[in-house]
Amino acid sequence: MAEIQLGVVETRFADIIWEHEPVTSTELVKLAAAALSWKRTTTHTVLRRLCDKGLFVNDKGTVTALISKPEFYALQSRQFVDDTFDGSLPAFIAAFTKHTKLTAEEAEEIRRMIDEAQ
């Protein structure tokens, strides 16, 4: 799947959609006005951009996700590891845990994930 780049404000708007989907575009205008102080035209412009990026679809005024929130953030995380650590998950984990100790529960959960992934 192609990389989807979102700015901070686009991400906040996408989170609003994920939280309320399926949501009508009319309701989305109200939600964006309350959360982001956006006008109707801004909401529709950004929604169109997110639809063009393949994240959402606006079908007859009802907006739904083509990619779930967890799936989107998993793709973003994978891209971060690829870009920053040359795709090395061990290098990422080493950097992440260098100044932070894992709890026993976290370590056990990671072991379970590794076992399931093998």
Side-chain angles (χ1 to χ4, degrees):
M1 175 172 279
E3 178 182 349
I4 300 173
Q5 295 276 333
L6 298 184
V8 174
V9 176
E10 286 178 320
T11 301
R12 287 182 58 205
F13 184 59
D15 284 338
I16 291 169
I17 298 170
W18 280 313
E19 184 178 332
H20 294 92
E21 73 162 320
V23 61
T24 65
S25 55
T26 302
E27 182 63 21
L28 195 52
V29 167
K30 293 175 187 175
L31 291 166
L36 304 168
S37 301
W38 284 1
K39 296 186 185 298
R40 180 187 59 78
T41 54
T42 304
T43 300
H44 285 289
T45 298
V46 177
L47 176 59
R48 187 172 48 253
R49 277 200 311 244
L50 295 181
C51 289
D52 289 346
K53 290 180 180 192
L55 211 52
F56 300 103
V57 65
N58 185 356
D59 184 27
K60 299 177 185 165
T62 300
V63 179
T64 56
L66 294 173
I67 299 173
S68 70
K69 183 176 180 176
E71 184 180 19
F72 172 75
Y73 284 111
L75 290 168
Q76 296 300 299
S77 298
R78 182 78 244 172
Q79 191 62 48
F80 175 78
V81 171
D82 288 347
D83 293 346
T84 309
F85 299 96
D86 293 324
S88 171
L89 190 56
F92 167 75
I93 292 172
F96 186 82
T97 58
K98 183 172 184 165
H99 298 288
T100 304
K101 293 290 183 193
L102 295 175
T103 67
E105 293 81 17
E106 289 170 328
E108 183 55 36
E109 186 174 349
I110 291 169
R111 283 185 196 94
R112 271 196 307 275
M113 286 189 283
I114 290 169
D115 289 344
E116 290 173 10
Q118 288 181 327

